[in-house]
Short mmCIF file of all heavy atoms in Angstrom, two decimals:
data_model
loop_
_atom_site.label_atom_id
_atom_site.label_comp_id
_atom_site.label_asym_id
_atom_site.label_seq_id
_atom_site.Cartn_x
_atom_site.Cartn_y
_atom_site.Cartn_z
N GLY A 267 53.16 91.46 -25.85
CA GLY A 267 54.10 91.26 -24.76
C GLY A 267 53.92 92.24 -23.62
O GLY A 267 54.52 92.09 -22.56
N SER A 268 53.08 93.26 -23.83
CA SER A 268 52.80 94.25 -22.79
C SER A 268 51.33 94.22 -22.42
O SER A 268 50.46 94.56 -23.23
CB SER A 268 53.16 95.66 -23.27
OG SER A 268 52.60 96.64 -22.41
N GLU A 269 51.05 93.85 -21.19
CA GLU A 269 49.66 93.82 -20.73
C GLU A 269 49.05 95.22 -20.72
O GLU A 269 47.89 95.41 -21.09
CB GLU A 269 49.61 93.21 -19.33
CG GLU A 269 48.20 93.03 -18.78
CD GLU A 269 48.19 92.37 -17.41
OE1 GLU A 269 49.18 91.71 -17.06
OE2 GLU A 269 47.17 92.53 -16.71
N LYS A 270 49.84 96.21 -20.33
CA LYS A 270 49.31 97.57 -20.21
C LYS A 270 49.05 98.20 -21.58
O LYS A 270 48.01 98.85 -21.79
CB LYS A 270 50.27 98.43 -19.40
CG LYS A 270 50.30 98.04 -17.92
CD LYS A 270 51.24 98.92 -17.12
CE LYS A 270 51.21 98.53 -15.64
NZ LYS A 270 52.14 99.36 -14.84
N VAL A 271 49.97 98.04 -22.51
CA VAL A 271 49.76 98.60 -23.85
C VAL A 271 48.60 97.88 -24.54
O VAL A 271 47.77 98.51 -25.20
CB VAL A 271 51.05 98.52 -24.69
CG1 VAL A 271 50.79 98.94 -26.13
CG2 VAL A 271 52.14 99.40 -24.08
N SER A 272 48.51 96.57 -24.39
CA SER A 272 47.40 95.81 -24.96
C SER A 272 46.07 96.31 -24.40
O SER A 272 45.10 96.50 -25.14
CB SER A 272 47.56 94.32 -24.68
OG SER A 272 48.71 93.80 -25.32
N ASN A 273 46.02 96.50 -23.09
CA ASN A 273 44.79 96.97 -22.46
C ASN A 273 44.42 98.36 -22.97
O ASN A 273 43.23 98.67 -23.15
CB ASN A 273 44.95 97.00 -20.94
CG ASN A 273 43.65 97.35 -20.24
OD1 ASN A 273 42.65 96.65 -20.37
ND2 ASN A 273 43.66 98.44 -19.50
N PHE A 274 45.42 99.19 -23.22
CA PHE A 274 45.17 100.54 -23.77
C PHE A 274 44.48 100.43 -25.12
O PHE A 274 43.51 101.14 -25.40
CB PHE A 274 46.49 101.29 -23.90
CG PHE A 274 46.34 102.72 -24.33
CD1 PHE A 274 46.12 103.72 -23.39
CD2 PHE A 274 46.42 103.09 -25.66
CE1 PHE A 274 45.98 105.05 -23.78
CE2 PHE A 274 46.29 104.41 -26.07
CZ PHE A 274 46.07 105.39 -25.11
N PHE A 275 44.97 99.54 -25.98
CA PHE A 275 44.39 99.35 -27.32
C PHE A 275 43.00 98.73 -27.26
O PHE A 275 42.08 99.17 -27.94
CB PHE A 275 45.30 98.45 -28.16
CG PHE A 275 46.34 99.18 -28.97
CD1 PHE A 275 47.41 99.81 -28.34
CD2 PHE A 275 46.26 99.23 -30.34
CE1 PHE A 275 48.38 100.47 -29.08
CE2 PHE A 275 47.22 99.89 -31.09
CZ PHE A 275 48.29 100.51 -30.46
N TYR A 276 42.86 97.69 -26.46
CA TYR A 276 41.67 96.84 -26.53
C TYR A 276 40.55 97.24 -25.57
O TYR A 276 39.40 96.86 -25.77
CB TYR A 276 42.04 95.38 -26.25
CG TYR A 276 43.07 94.81 -27.20
CD1 TYR A 276 44.10 94.01 -26.74
CD2 TYR A 276 43.01 95.07 -28.56
CE1 TYR A 276 45.05 93.48 -27.60
CE2 TYR A 276 43.96 94.56 -29.44
CZ TYR A 276 44.98 93.76 -28.96
OH TYR A 276 45.92 93.24 -29.81
N ASN A 277 40.86 98.03 -24.54
CA ASN A 277 39.83 98.35 -23.54
C ASN A 277 39.80 99.81 -23.11
O ASN A 277 38.76 100.45 -23.09
CB ASN A 277 40.04 97.48 -22.28
CG ASN A 277 39.89 96.00 -22.56
OD1 ASN A 277 38.85 95.55 -23.02
ND2 ASN A 277 40.95 95.23 -22.29
N GLU A 278 40.97 100.35 -22.76
CA GLU A 278 41.01 101.63 -22.07
C GLU A 278 40.48 102.80 -22.89
O GLU A 278 39.86 103.72 -22.35
CB GLU A 278 42.45 101.91 -21.63
CG GLU A 278 42.58 103.05 -20.66
CD GLU A 278 44.00 103.21 -20.15
OE1 GLU A 278 44.64 102.18 -19.84
OE2 GLU A 278 44.46 104.36 -20.06
N THR A 279 40.71 102.78 -24.20
CA THR A 279 40.28 103.92 -25.03
C THR A 279 38.76 103.96 -25.23
O THR A 279 38.25 104.92 -25.80
CB THR A 279 40.98 103.91 -26.40
OG1 THR A 279 40.78 102.64 -27.02
CG2 THR A 279 42.47 104.17 -26.24
N ARG A 280 38.06 102.92 -24.76
CA ARG A 280 36.60 102.97 -24.88
C ARG A 280 36.04 104.17 -24.12
O ARG A 280 35.12 104.85 -24.57
CB ARG A 280 35.97 101.68 -24.34
CG ARG A 280 34.47 101.58 -24.60
CD ARG A 280 33.86 100.34 -23.99
NE ARG A 280 34.47 99.12 -24.48
CZ ARG A 280 34.18 98.54 -25.65
NH1 ARG A 280 33.31 99.10 -26.46
NH2 ARG A 280 34.79 97.41 -26.00
N GLU A 281 36.61 104.43 -22.95
CA GLU A 281 36.13 105.55 -22.13
C GLU A 281 36.61 106.89 -22.68
O GLU A 281 35.85 107.85 -22.76
CB GLU A 281 36.60 105.38 -20.69
CG GLU A 281 36.08 106.47 -19.76
CD GLU A 281 36.47 106.24 -18.31
OE1 GLU A 281 36.91 105.13 -17.99
OE2 GLU A 281 36.32 107.19 -17.52
N SER A 282 37.89 106.98 -23.08
CA SER A 282 38.44 108.27 -23.51
C SER A 282 38.04 108.65 -24.93
O SER A 282 37.76 109.82 -25.22
CB SER A 282 39.96 108.26 -23.39
OG SER A 282 40.52 107.20 -24.14
N LEU A 283 38.01 107.67 -25.84
CA LEU A 283 37.73 107.95 -27.25
C LEU A 283 36.37 107.43 -27.71
O LEU A 283 35.88 107.82 -28.78
CB LEU A 283 38.81 107.33 -28.14
CG LEU A 283 40.24 107.80 -27.92
CD1 LEU A 283 41.20 107.01 -28.82
CD2 LEU A 283 40.39 109.30 -28.18
N GLY A 284 35.79 106.53 -26.95
CA GLY A 284 34.52 105.92 -27.37
C GLY A 284 34.70 104.76 -28.31
O GLY A 284 33.76 104.35 -28.98
N SER A 285 35.94 104.21 -28.36
CA SER A 285 36.21 103.13 -29.32
C SER A 285 37.37 102.28 -28.84
O SER A 285 38.19 102.72 -28.02
CB SER A 285 36.55 103.72 -30.69
OG SER A 285 37.73 104.51 -30.59
N VAL A 286 37.47 101.07 -29.40
CA VAL A 286 38.57 100.16 -29.09
C VAL A 286 38.98 99.41 -30.34
O VAL A 286 38.30 99.46 -31.37
CB VAL A 286 38.16 99.12 -28.00
CG1 VAL A 286 37.92 99.80 -26.67
CG2 VAL A 286 36.94 98.32 -28.44
N MET A 287 40.11 98.71 -30.23
CA MET A 287 40.53 97.78 -31.28
C MET A 287 40.04 96.38 -30.90
O MET A 287 40.18 95.97 -29.74
CB MET A 287 42.05 97.79 -31.44
CG MET A 287 42.58 96.70 -32.37
SD MET A 287 44.40 96.69 -32.51
CE MET A 287 44.63 97.80 -33.89
N VAL A 288 39.49 95.66 -31.88
CA VAL A 288 39.02 94.29 -31.66
C VAL A 288 39.78 93.37 -32.62
O VAL A 288 39.84 93.65 -33.82
CB VAL A 288 37.51 94.16 -31.91
CG1 VAL A 288 37.04 92.71 -31.74
CG2 VAL A 288 36.72 95.09 -30.99
N VAL A 289 40.38 92.31 -32.10
CA VAL A 289 41.13 91.36 -32.92
C VAL A 289 40.54 89.97 -32.74
O VAL A 289 40.37 89.49 -31.62
CB VAL A 289 42.62 91.33 -32.56
CG1 VAL A 289 43.36 90.29 -33.39
CG2 VAL A 289 43.25 92.71 -32.76
N GLU A 290 40.20 89.33 -33.85
CA GLU A 290 39.68 87.96 -33.86
C GLU A 290 40.15 87.32 -35.15
O GLU A 290 39.82 87.78 -36.24
CB GLU A 290 38.16 87.98 -33.77
CG GLU A 290 37.48 86.64 -33.99
CD GLU A 290 38.01 85.54 -33.09
OE1 GLU A 290 37.92 85.69 -31.86
OE2 GLU A 290 38.53 84.54 -33.64
N LYS A 291 40.93 86.25 -35.03
CA LYS A 291 41.55 85.64 -36.21
C LYS A 291 40.53 85.09 -37.19
O LYS A 291 40.71 85.17 -38.41
CB LYS A 291 42.51 84.53 -35.78
CG LYS A 291 43.28 83.94 -36.94
CD LYS A 291 44.32 82.93 -36.49
CE LYS A 291 45.08 82.36 -37.68
NZ LYS A 291 46.10 81.38 -37.28
N ASP A 292 39.43 84.52 -36.70
CA ASP A 292 38.40 83.94 -37.56
C ASP A 292 37.53 85.05 -38.13
O ASP A 292 36.84 85.75 -37.37
CB ASP A 292 37.56 82.96 -36.75
CG ASP A 292 36.54 82.21 -37.59
OD1 ASP A 292 36.15 82.71 -38.67
OD2 ASP A 292 36.09 81.13 -37.16
N PRO A 293 37.51 85.27 -39.45
CA PRO A 293 36.74 86.38 -40.01
C PRO A 293 35.23 86.25 -39.79
O PRO A 293 34.53 87.26 -39.72
CB PRO A 293 37.09 86.36 -41.50
CG PRO A 293 37.60 84.98 -41.77
CD PRO A 293 38.25 84.53 -40.51
N VAL A 294 34.73 85.02 -39.68
CA VAL A 294 33.31 84.84 -39.40
C VAL A 294 32.98 85.37 -38.01
O VAL A 294 31.99 86.10 -37.81
CB VAL A 294 32.91 83.35 -39.52
CG1 VAL A 294 31.47 83.14 -39.07
CG2 VAL A 294 33.09 82.87 -40.95
N VAL A 295 33.82 85.03 -37.05
CA VAL A 295 33.62 85.52 -35.68
C VAL A 295 33.82 87.04 -35.63
O VAL A 295 33.09 87.75 -34.93
CB VAL A 295 34.58 84.81 -34.70
CG1 VAL A 295 34.42 85.36 -33.29
CG2 VAL A 295 34.34 83.31 -34.71
N LEU A 296 34.80 87.55 -36.39
CA LEU A 296 35.03 88.99 -36.43
C LEU A 296 33.79 89.71 -36.96
O LEU A 296 33.39 90.75 -36.43
CB LEU A 296 36.25 89.31 -37.30
CG LEU A 296 36.70 90.78 -37.26
CD1 LEU A 296 37.27 91.14 -35.89
CD2 LEU A 296 37.74 91.06 -38.34
N ALA A 297 33.19 89.17 -38.01
CA ALA A 297 31.96 89.76 -38.56
C ALA A 297 30.86 89.79 -37.50
O ALA A 297 30.11 90.77 -37.39
CB ALA A 297 31.51 88.98 -39.79
N GLU A 298 30.76 88.72 -36.73
CA GLU A 298 29.75 88.67 -35.66
C GLU A 298 30.02 89.74 -34.60
O GLU A 298 29.08 90.33 -34.06
CB GLU A 298 29.72 87.28 -35.04
CG GLU A 298 29.15 86.21 -35.98
CD GLU A 298 29.37 84.79 -35.48
OE1 GLU A 298 30.05 84.62 -34.45
OE2 GLU A 298 28.87 83.85 -36.14
N CYS A 299 31.29 89.99 -34.31
CA CYS A 299 31.64 91.06 -33.37
C CYS A 299 31.19 92.42 -33.90
O CYS A 299 30.66 93.25 -33.16
CB CYS A 299 33.15 91.08 -33.14
SG CYS A 299 33.81 89.67 -32.24
#
C-alpha cells in the first residue's frame, strides 16, 4: 500500500546495502531470478 516503502525494500537498498528483496509468486520463476 506504500509505493515509497515498497521501493525501499525492492530497489533502493541495492545502492546502500548491495542487496534487495525479490518477490515472485511462481517458485519456478523465483528460481530463475
Side-chain angles (χ1 to χ4, degrees):
S268 166
E269 184 178 339
K270 290 181 179 179
V271 173
S272 296
N273 186 60
F274 186 86
F275 269 69
Y276 302 138
N277 297 301
E278 193 175 317
T279 54
R280 188 183 302 280
E281 183 176 346
S282 57
L283 300 176
S285 62
V286 293
M287 172 182 269
V288 178
V289 178
E290 171 54 59
K291 185 175 180 180
D292 185 337
V294 173
V295 177
L296 188 68
E298 291 169 355
C299 292

